[in-house]
Every structure is written in C-alpha cells, then in structure tokens.
Amino acid sequence: MKAIGYRRTGPIDRPDALVDIELDRPGPTGHDLLVEIAAVSVNPVDTKIRQRVEPEGADWKVLGWDASGRVVAVGPEASRFKPGDEVFYAGALTRPGTNSEFHLVDERIVGRKPATLDHAQAAALPLTALTAWEMLFDRLDVRRPVPGAADAVLIIGGAGGVGSMAIQLLKALTGLTVIATASRPETRDWVRSLGADHVVDHRQPLAAQLGALGLGDPAFVFSTTATGQHLADVVELIAPQGRFGLIDDPESLDIRGFKRKSVSVHWEFMFTRSLFGTADMGEQGRVLDEVARLADAGRIRSTLTRRMGPINADTLKQAHALQESGRACGKTVLEGF
C-alpha cells in the first residue's frame, strides 16, 4: 500500500523530510478496524513528531492522526462497526499514522462520519473536536459555574483548529459568552463567523482588553498557543477560583501567580486515553458520534479551510510548512492517493 514516511527527523525543507513509500497492508486484530483512508488533515502534533521523534531501527515513521474513510475489515473483538461503514477519528500515538492507504485503529476511539459532510470536511474535525471537548467539559467543567465570575470563556488562539472547535462547541452546548483572540483581519472574521461574541488581539495586552469589554472577570481561560507569552495577563484577568487550561508546550510554566486566586490549572492531551488504555477510552468514540450529530443538525460546521490535493509526500510537505508558519486558519486537508 502507498504511504508517506520519514527515517530522519529534521526541517521540512529537507528532501527526505517526508517520502513516498510502499508498505505491507496490515490486518485487523482485537478491537481493530482496517480503514481505507479517504482524507487526512494536519495538526501541530504531526510537525512536532516529525522534528523530534526518530523511527525505531530501520523502519519508516508514518505520521498522521486525523482521518476519514471506509471500514474494509474488522478484528474479532470489534462490534461497533462493519465493513462499508464510513468513519472518522483521531488515532493513537503508539500506532502507525493515517498517512497511508489503509490504517488500523481501535474502534473504541472511532466515530461514525457525519452524513452531511464529505470525507475532507469530516477529516478536519476529530483531533481538534476531541481536544476542545475534553478540555471544556472534562477538564475545565465549564457547565459548573464559578461563584461571582462572569459566565465567560476566553480562548487564546481562537482561529486555530482547536480554538475553532471550542468556539462552536461552547455556542452549541452552553450559554457562556465566548471571547476569542485573533490578530489578523481574516482570523478575526473567521472566529466571528464561528460564533465568538467578542474578539481581542493577542498581540496586545489581554487584561486591559478584557477589562474594556465590561463583562467582569471570566470564569474560564483556555490557552491553545503561546501560553508562556500570555500567562501574566491570564493571572491578572481570570476570576478568583477560576479554571485555566492549556494544550501547548511552554518551556516552563510558573503558576505561582494563580495561588492568590486559587485558580486550578488543567493540561489536556487528547491522546491520554488511548496511550494508557484508560477505562473510559470508549468515551472518545461517544464524543465523536455526538460531534457528528451536531454537524448533521447544522449546529457546528467543519473547520476545513484548505483542500491541498492528494495524499503524497510533496503535498504533505506543503501542509507541514503551512502548519509550522503559524499562519494557518482552520484546518488543512489532503484527499485520496
């Protein structure tokens, strides 16, 4: 089967950063589904692993997590899906990635593809939707109010993939006021189109801008990027007993400033459940089914903004370069081999 992989970590502009290869087609065991891949999207995790994680031995490292496709075979313990079913999912760190014609995935972390979306639109959703959902409803518990705080959420990095999903989930499932950060005209328009009630500029001090809105101190802050740069502002603007969450990887994170306000700090890593085989691992499949229902009901939409072409090394390198530029808005998707 066709696939894209690498054997040496490094920058994306190197000729062998990503290479078209041929691999044996895998077979499903246990709870596995064998999925024929129709579309994949690119996330920050793809570029981080390509730069940092060497393949084992002489093997190829195949990246890719977000995917949409069709089930072609199932393992003996699989019961949720059958051949022919269309599915979407975000995969697991410990297994080969979705940048291949066929891919094995545990059915417990798989959802049924939204019927109203094509494969490219569906492939834009899983990783960011799961990350946003787990942060908002499992970690920050945004449905539980903070006494005396404004019923509001500040999303730092609102135009990125996760921020774009967080805005939509909040508007679809809560009554909270959503404040998103964006700095360019096109990203400000994007977050407004997704439902953000207010937009502030993350290139300027955030606390003063939040104060000028006159809403009061927000109960929740969700930082998707540049947390180290904004931490002092967050300490100032968040409500006492508020809840703060992040998903990026700052070199250091001094949270002592939160002590006076008794702010709780939550780190979200979408791969935790599959990495450790947690008892509630199947929750991700349930969440993706709910995301599909919301999409089919028109309550959320795909965050696809770029269809870059076929799934091959050249196109994937372009997508990685765009992701690393820091100027991506929404999600970039590749379709077909």
Side-chain angles (χ1 to χ4, degrees), residues 4 79 87 114 145 185 204 248 264 269:
I4 300 96
S79 59
V87 296
Q204 305 297 326
D248 61 333
S264 59
F269 188 51

Side-chain angles (χ1 to χ4, degrees), residues 23 29 34 37 45 52-53 56 68 71 88 99 107 123 136 153 194-195 197 204 207 220 231 261 271-272 275 295:
L23 297 174
T29 61
L34 180 64
I37 298 297
V45 65
R52 303 173 188 174
V53 180
E56 296 182 3
S68 182
V71 176
F88 73 143
N99 294 334
E107 70 166 359
L136 295 173
V153 183
L194 296 172
D197 298 293
Q204 305 297 326
F220 313 103
L231 189 62
K261 289 185 173 180
F271 295 110
T272 295
L275 186 62

